[in-house]
Amino acid sequence: MTPAERVIPTWTEPLATAASAPIGGPLGRHAAIGRHWFWTPLRVALLIAVIGLAIGWFGKAACVQQYYNEDSKKLELDWRSNRPFTAMCYSDIIPLYSAERLNEGGFPYKTSWIDDEGKPTAHVRYMEYPVLTGLFQWVNAKLADGWLAIAGAGWLPTGLAVTVFFDISAFWLALAWLVTIWAVTRTARRRPWDAALIAASPLLLVHAFTNFDTLATAFAATGILAWARKKPALAGVLLGLGGAAKLYPLFVLGPLLVLCLRAGRMRDWARTALAAIIAWAVVNLPIMLGYPRGWWEFFHRNSLRGADPDSLYNVVSQFTGWAGFDGRLGFGQTPVWLNAVSGLLFVVSCAIIAFIALQAPVRPRLAQLSFLVVAAFLLTNKVWSPQYSLWLVPLAVLAVPRWRILLAWMTLDALVWAPRMMFYLGDDKKGLPIDWFLSFVVLRDLAVLGLCVLVVYEIYHPARDLVRQGAGGVPLDDPAGGVLDGAPDRLTLTVTGFRRANAPAR
């Protein structure tokens, strides 16, 4: 990549132009580009991300503060006065340390316990996360035990085990986000400065340490990078490992299938899919065969979940009084119709995206279709946990790198956290009523839907796609498309049906 081919954001993005004013304004027309010995776009983005991650950690740190309880005569987490909600520092990582019995040292998926023991709702529980994420938590718990053992000898600072567990987990999660930025920068070689949006995302400040989702973004981003570097087997391995951490990296296989079908590169897709299956199986099969009931817990718990507070189904239910597809269910009852409807809507959405991919005048880019598929899943799913929005950030930057639009969406999405925390605080403790929270949820969903509309518009109007605008006005295909970049179409969809090109497929 020559400096002349690199997109300069202070020349093309009004937001970057305005932000450059305090440091001398836009880059000069005769400036030497790409020759600084240290400050490359990647290193600048990583530095911004480190600052953002530090701010994000301090935002959660209020929830790992300790105090000496005079009654119990020991150190405890200071969650008095509803601190997780009033300080807006809540993180799943902290309660999961004890809720998943990581503090007891047992191996996840083997260890079981009784929730609500002695109550009518008593039930057997296991680790409820996908295998790679569950093992990630277990390893961090063991590292926390080792840290405390060494600290006991006076070698290291000490504290509550849950505090050490959170800090160790946060370190690896921060590293995973830095890997995400690295992968996106390498993927978008003509537009490396776009990664600054990932580094400075308001969603990073709020949700980097809300759960364990940066693990999945790292695998998804590196999988897309491997595909861009024409390494389909490696791409499959990374996407398969991502699927063992969270489901969504496997969604990238869907857009790849449709694009490879259109380009006649099905062998490359088959290699990627096979590698993904093998990688997923290598992680999952030992647990599946050794502890089948514990392995199944993730799927079992998800099938039992109703419409989460921030799902569209709950929004409709709260604003209209609708009882839901399944009516009022008792404890342990499966929302069969909700599961079926949300699944069907996602399948229909994927079918529409596939139609667009095959019918568009120019073959869409992988990032565009991947963003549409993941956004469709979130919008139609019965669960949209707040940290899931991180999934969209790297895909959005690759799909539609329009800085002002993306920053506006990410800011709005991050702001949903405030009414969420105030709603969880409760009306009796001067929290906000649910209507405030749901109103922000609707605005968030409309913003994501608006991004989807913009992506579809650029698919049908490729001249408007910033990524396709090459140096000297020469249009590009898909710079991150790997074997698809520049490949001729072999199969397209027309008004009368499928049309095959005369050239043989490979």
Side-chain angles (χ1 to χ4, degrees):
M1 181 65 61
T2 64
E5 294 176 305
R6 181 181 292 175
V7 175
I8 309 301
T10 55
W11 296 354
T12 59
E13 285 290 341
L15 180 63
T17 303
S20 68
I23 56 173
L27 190 72
R29 292 293 173 181
H30 301 287
I33 300 173
R35 296 185 184 179
H36 196 281
W37 70 276
F38 185 80
W39 287 117
T40 63
L42 173 59
R43 287 172 179 165
V44 172
L46 292 176
L47 175 61
I48 295 172
V50 168
I51 296 172
L53 288 163
I55 295 172
W57 182 87
F58 278 110
K60 302 297 186 184
C63 278
V64 289
Q65 290 184 10
Q66 306 163 157
Y67 80 104
Y68 186 77
N69 190 326
E70 294 291 346
D71 296 330
S72 62
K73 304 299 181 184
K74 62 181 181 179
L75 280 177
E76 295 180 3
L77 279 180
D78 189 1
W79 278 29
R80 296 170 296 180
S81 302
N82 298 286
R83 179 187 288 267
F85 308 125
T86 56
M88 300 186 189
C89 61
Y90 176 81
S91 168
D92 287 335
I93 299 172
I94 299 167
L96 284 175
Y97 181 67
S98 57
E100 300 291 352
R101 300 304 192 265
L102 297 167
N103 59 326
E104 297 177 2
F107 185 74
Y109 310 105
K110 177 183 179 181
T111 301
S112 64
W113 62 92
I114 305 295
D115 264 2
D116 297 340
E117 191 169 5
K119 300 179 182 179
T121 56
H123 58 286
V124 178
R125 281 286 316 281
Y126 293 83
M127 166 66 73
E128 63 173 300
Y129 278 80
V131 172
L132 200 59
T133 301
L135 294 178
F136 174 77
Q137 296 177 61
W138 178 70
V139 169
N140 287 337
K142 291 300 182 183
L143 290 174
D145 292 341
W147 179 286
L148 292 172
I150 297 174
W155 292 93
L156 294 171
T158 187
L160 289 173
V162 65
T163 300
V164 178
F165 171 75
F166 172 81
D167 289 339
I168 292 175
S169 299
F171 172 80
W172 298 119
L173 294 172
L175 186 61
W177 193 253
L178 296 179
V179 170
T180 302
I181 293 171
W182 169 81
V184 171
T185 304
R186 296 306 188 200
T187 301
R189 291 186 298 167
R190 289 189 64 254
R191 305 181 58 92
W193 287 105
D194 289 341
L197 284 174
I198 306 176
S201 171
L203 285 167
L204 167 69
L205 306 181
V206 179
H207 294 311
F209 309 120
T210 297
N211 203 280
F212 306 99
D213 291 68
T214 63
L215 296 176
T217 66
F219 280 117
T222 52
I224 292 174
L225 172 60
W227 178 267
R229 295 292 176 87
K230 300 182 180 180
K231 298 177 180 179
L234 178 59
V237 169
L238 292 167
L239 294 175
L241 292 175
K246 289 278 184 176
L247 180 62
Y248 100 90
L250 293 175
F251 291 163
V252 177
L253 294 175
L256 281 176
L257 170 61
V258 180
L259 293 174
C260 287
L261 179 64
R262 177 164 176 164
R265 305 299 299 241
M266 290 303 295
R267 290 181 182 177
D268 294 292
W269 180 83
R271 290 173 62 192
T272 303
L274 180 60
I277 293 171
I278 292 173
W280 183 90
V282 166
V283 174
N284 279 270
L285 276 179
I287 306 299
M288 186 190 308
L289 297 177
Y291 314 107
R293 178 61 184 85
W295 177 83
W296 182 250
E297 182 76 355
F298 166 71
F299 303 96
H300 174 65
R301 297 288 299 177
N302 275 279
S303 69
L304 290 177
R305 293 181 72 166
D308 262 22
D310 40 7
S311 68
L312 285 175
Y313 308 102
N314 183 62
V315 170
V316 175
S317 177
Q318 292 292 331
F319 283 145
T320 66
W322 175 52
F325 295 108
D326 299 275
R328 305 299 179 187
L329 297 176
F331 178 80
Q333 290 184 291
T334 302
V336 176
W337 283 106
L338 175 61
N339 292 342
V341 170
S342 62
L344 179 62
L345 288 176
F346 179 54
V347 170
V348 171
S349 299
C350 290
I352 294 172
I353 295 169
F355 172 83
I356 293 171
L358 294 172
Q359 195 265 340
V362 175
R363 188 172 58 246
R365 295 185 291 109
L366 172 61
Q368 291 175 316
L369 295 187
S370 297
F371 174 82
L372 291 177
V373 169
V374 175
F377 174 77
L378 293 175
L379 289 168
T380 60
N381 196 29
K382 63 180 182 177
V383 177
W384 187 330
S385 295
Q387 72 277 0
Y388 287 1
S389 295
L390 290 174
W391 303 355
L392 291 173
V393 173
L395 294 176
V397 169
L398 290 172
V400 54
R402 297 183 180 274
W403 287 27
R404 288 181 296 181
I405 293 175
L406 291 186
L407 187 61
W409 154 62
M410 290 187 287
T411 301
L412 175 61
D413 202 327
L415 287 175
V416 177
W417 188 246
R420 179 194 304 275
M421 292 292 97
M422 290 298 97
F423 160 61
Y424 287 164
L425 182 61
D427 289 336
D428 57 329
K429 298 181 178 64
K430 299 183 179 180
L432 288 175
I434 191 172
D435 292 358
W436 283 80
F437 167 50
L438 296 182
S439 298
F440 271 80
V441 167
V442 171
L443 291 175
R444 187 268 318 273
D445 290 351
L446 289 175
V448 172
L449 188 60
L451 286 176
C452 293
V453 172
L454 178 57
V455 170
V456 173
Y457 174 82
E458 292 188 351
I459 288 175
Y460 279 96
H461 300 82
R464 302 285 296 174
D465 185 354
L466 297 179
V467 178
R468 294 186 187 272
Q469 296 175 7
V474 179
L476 303 176
D477 183 15
D478 185 358
V483 298
L484 298 172
D485 186 26
D489 284 338
R490 308 297 184 186
L491 181 70
T492 56
L493 187 62
T494 65
V495 176
T496 57
F498 287 101
R499 181 179 66 83
R500 290 184 178 273
N502 293 327
R506 287 185 287 173

